[in-house]
């Protein structure tokens, strides 16, 4: 039958790679763009946040579709994403509008180092890049272990103030 012929032909062409998971991802935040590039999955990205700075090439290769709490919904829809990646309650209005239109959206809410590592694992799972995500997570964890080791030699713990955003104030 023709069905078995198609199956047989597919088995004869193992060098043809079929990308699994979403093919057209719109990133409304910089961190998802950076992680997808680190995973080697940048070809899936169709649009990025205007706040994206890493990797630098992303700003040259990908159209900007959002700020942080605003987005160009028409531009997003023109890109025909099969997944939009967003962050936190600060993007609630954007997410709600996209969901009402019928766009698939995943909202991350990482608020800790573990949350960031979980976000990397989730992006790996969504793009079927689990092994590369696990390797990236291990590399980051190794760097953090080295920092802890180095800091253990200091006479006292350093005080650090980190301001991520000024309105609303987000700091650590």
């Amino acid at each position: 039958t023709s069905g078995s012929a198609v199956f047989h032909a597919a088995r004869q062409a193992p060098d043809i790679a079929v990308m699994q998971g979403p093919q057209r991802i719109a990133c409304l935040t910089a961190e998802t763009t950076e992680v997808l590039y680190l995973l080697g999955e940048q070809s899936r990205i169709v649009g990025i946040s205007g706040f994206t700075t890493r990797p630098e090439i992303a700003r040259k290769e990908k159209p900007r579709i959002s700020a942080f709490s605003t987005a160009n919904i028409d531009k997003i829809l023109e890109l025909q994403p099969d997944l939009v990646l967003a962050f936190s309650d600060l993007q609630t209005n954007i997410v709600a509008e996209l969901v009402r239109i019928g766009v698939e959206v995943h909202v991350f809410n990482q608020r800790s180092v573990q949350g960031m590592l979980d976000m990397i694992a989730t992006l790996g799972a969504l793009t079927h890049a689990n092994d590369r995500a696990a390797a990236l997570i291990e590399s980051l964890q190794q760097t953090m272990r080295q920092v802890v080791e180095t800091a253990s030699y200091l006479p006292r713990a350093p005080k650090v103030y980190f301001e991520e955003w000024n309105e609303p104030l987000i700091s650590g």
Side-chain angles (χ1 to χ4, degrees), residues 7-114:
F7 176 74
H8 181 71
R11 288 183 52 199
Q12 295 299 314
D15 59 333
I16 298 174
V18 177
M19 213 171 18
Q20 297 178 317
Q23 308 299 299
R24 301 183 58 77
I25 301 174
C27 298
L28 302 184
T29 61
E31 63 274 7
T32 54
T33 299
E34 183 175 3
V35 170
L36 288 170
Y37 269 85
L38 289 169
L39 297 178
E41 297 296 330
Q42 64 269 19
S43 66
R44 297 175 189 261
I45 301 172
V46 295
I48 63 172
S49 164
F51 286 101
T52 299
T53 57
R54 290 184 312 261
E56 192 174 320
I57 188 124
R59 292 181 69 82
K60 295 178 178 102
E61 294 179 338
K62 310 294 180 180
R64 292 178 199 92
I65 54 172
S66 68
F68 192 74
S69 58
T70 61
N72 185 329
I73 300 297
D74 291 334
K75 194 169 188 178
I76 292 170
L77 296 175
E78 285 172 15
L79 295 171
Q80 301 178 324
D82 51 6
L83 178 64
V84 173
L85 299 174
F87 171 74
S88 89
D89 60 321
L90 297 174
Q91 294 185 327
T92 301
N93 294 337
I94 302 166
V95 168
E97 189 171 349
L98 291 169
V99 169
R100 275 193 293 275
I101 294 168
V103 177
E104 186 81 21
V105 179
H106 183 94
V107 180
F108 289 101
N109 199 28
Q110 66 272 13
R111 303 290 178 148
S112 65
V113 171
Q114 186 58 53

Side-chain angles (χ1 to χ4, degrees), residues 107-130:
V107 180
F108 289 101
N109 199 28
Q110 66 272 13
R111 303 290 178 148
S112 65
V113 171
Q114 186 58 53
M116 289 182 262
L117 298 176
D118 292 344
M119 180 266 294
I120 293 167
T122 300
L123 284 176
L126 287 169
T127 59
H128 297 265
N130 294 318

